[in-house]
Amino acid sequence: MSIIEKAVGKLDSGTKHPSENDDRFRSIRNYQNSARRKKVRSTLELVDDGSTVIKIDFDRLDKYGLYFYKENTKQYEDELRRIKRIMSKIAFNTSQTRSSLPSNVFLITSALPNEGKSYISSNLAMSLARERSAGVVLVDADLPRRRLSQGFGIQQQPGLIDILSRKDEVSITDVVLNTSVPHLALISAGQDSQSDPEVFTDYFAEGFFHDLANRFPDRIILIDTPPLLLTSHAASLAQFVGQILVVVEAGVTENRYINDAVELLDKNKTIGFIMNKSTGKRISKHYKEYGDYGSSRDNGT
């Protein structure tokens, strides 16, 4: 895999921020007021205080096609290192910030299924977690599929959909899960089985991701979403993030599908492309067919 393009647009200098009187401001404020704003313990220090810490099972991740450690390790590490250097530069270089949207929040998607976006999300997260100066929060926002939640064994934990459904008993501190890998935190898709894209269309969702970015300003936040051309989830969420990464299966995905997918995104955002499966041995076992997207979800044991 390699980065093949980074298309950078320029935001209209006349963009107006929401005032206290409009619906957008009120929705964000409602989110902030409803969340129990306790301090989130840093994932940089795993304290044995009886709190939940998710043990990362690498064999399980490999079973779900989410980790590369059994083959071509050095090659993949080199490629991931190149990608995360660019990501870190964009995320933490305030001089390059083009809007009020959080620059350390990256949405990861693809045009079609079977391109390896969840695989990329998982391995980028693992690679970023090895950095001493920063960490990562990996969010499973692929509500129809929920592969990250299954692979990491957190499908029964409260998560994104529970927060966005405004469940009073669930706060941001409940959904950010420390792990046995230092610098890595996870947010599951959630316990609620619904996958209604409407939860991503209001400013309550924007308030959540702004809050997440503010609580973890020294971390990169990765959001794994469904393919752009299969559901509206990714396009809806894209309006609330600063950066977008589109995973493309090398030599397979036709340009017309890539173009159709990009047409759904705001061209004023930073949009990067990652060419996946472009070199080395084909690891087809990691990319099973989805069929009807999300209809044959693995149970995960």
Side-chain angles (χ1 to χ4, degrees):
M1 60 191 154
S2 61
I3 290 183
I4 60 172
E5 180 182 357
K6 185 174 70 174
V8 179
K10 193 172 185 180
L11 284 175
D12 181 0
S13 59
T15 300
K16 296 181 180 179
H17 297 290
S19 71
E20 294 189 17
N21 295 320
D22 65 25
D23 291 338
R24 178 179 180 182
F25 183 92
R26 285 194 294 269
S27 295
I28 295 175
R29 183 61 63 203
N30 286 340
Y31 163 75
Q32 294 171 336
N33 290 337
S34 67
R36 298 194 300 272
R37 303 180 63 79
K38 298 178 292 184
K39 181 178 176 59
V40 179
R41 188 179 71 252
S42 171
T43 59
L44 299 178
E45 297 180 5
L46 298 178
V47 181
D48 186 14
D49 60 359
S51 59
T52 300
V53 173
I54 302 300
K55 179 176 174 57
I56 302 299
D57 184 337
F58 293 100
D59 287 328
R60 180 187 177 99
L61 287 176
D62 184 60
K63 170 187 173 183
Y64 279 89
L66 295 174
Y67 198 52
F68 63 78
Y69 77 115
K70 288 189 175 180
E71 50 186 321
N72 299 330
T73 301
K74 185 178 185 306
Q75 176 186 338
Y76 280 118
E77 280 285 6
D78 290 343
E79 294 289 351
L80 289 171
R81 191 173 297 113
R82 293 170 55 197
I83 295 171
K84 70 182 182 181
R85 283 175 183 167
I86 297 174
M87 292 175 66
S88 296
K89 182 178 180 181
I90 295 172
F92 303 121
N93 187 344
T94 56
S95 65
Q96 292 187 1
T97 301
R98 267 181 269 275
S99 75
S100 60
L101 295 173
S103 61
N104 62 327
V105 180
F106 289 75
L107 180 144
I108 301 180
T109 187
S110 59
L112 300 169
N114 201 37
E115 301 201 66
K117 62 168 187 64
S118 297
Y119 174 81
I120 295 295
S121 298
S122 174
N123 285 288
L124 269 178
M126 291 291 184
S127 187
L128 285 163
R130 296 188 183 99
E131 297 292 324
R132 294 184 179 182
S133 59
V136 61
V137 179
L138 178 60
V139 183
D140 186 357
D142 188 344
L143 299 184
R145 188 63 171 170
R146 308 188 183 207
R147 194 164 191 82
L148 288 180
S149 296
Q150 295 163 6
F152 282 97
I154 57 174
Q155 65 269 44
Q156 300 303 319
Q157 299 290 333
L160 182 62
I161 189 63
D162 305 307
I163 282 279
L164 299 188
S165 297
R166 296 171 171 80
K167 290 186 176 178
D168 293 337
E169 70 277 13
V170 180
S171 73
I172 191 171
T173 57
D174 297 320
V175 301
V176 179
L177 304 171
N178 291 328
T179 76
S180 57
V181 173
H183 305 195
L184 174 65
L186 304 171
I187 296 180
S188 76
Q191 297 171 326
D192 196 316
S193 61
Q194 71 160 303
S195 59
D196 186 352
E198 292 297 317
V199 298
F200 294 143
T201 61
D202 65 24
Y203 292 107
F204 191 87
E206 181 178 17
F208 170 73
F209 287 108
H210 269 275
D211 194 31
L212 191 64
N214 289 334
R215 287 170 181 261
F216 297 98
D218 59 342
R219 293 162 179 75
I220 287 178
I221 297 167
L222 303 180
I223 307 173
D224 182 52
T225 68
L228 283 159
L229 298 182
L230 268 68
T231 78
S232 62
H233 294 72
S236 296
L237 256 180
Q239 64 184 314
F240 304 138
V241 305
Q243 327 292 342
I244 301 170
L245 294 175
V246 180
V247 177
V248 177
E249 184 178 7
V252 175
T253 308
E254 298 178 24
N255 286 341
R256 61 189 174 113
Y257 295 126
I258 300 172
N259 292 333
D260 288 347
V262 172
E263 282 299 314
L264 298 173
L265 301 172
D266 182 353
K267 310 308 183 299
N268 290 321
K269 291 182 181 290
T270 300
I271 303 176
F273 292 83
I274 297 178
M275 185 73 82
N276 190 34
K277 296 187 270 185
S278 61
T279 59
K281 181 181 177 182
R282 253 185 103 79
I283 44 178
S284 57
K285 71 171 184 175
H286 286 173
Y287 306 99
K288 297 179 181 178
E289 292 291 341
Y290 280 94
D292 291 333
Y293 196 74
S295 64
S296 58
R297 188 180 304 154
D298 296 327
N299 292 325
T301 56

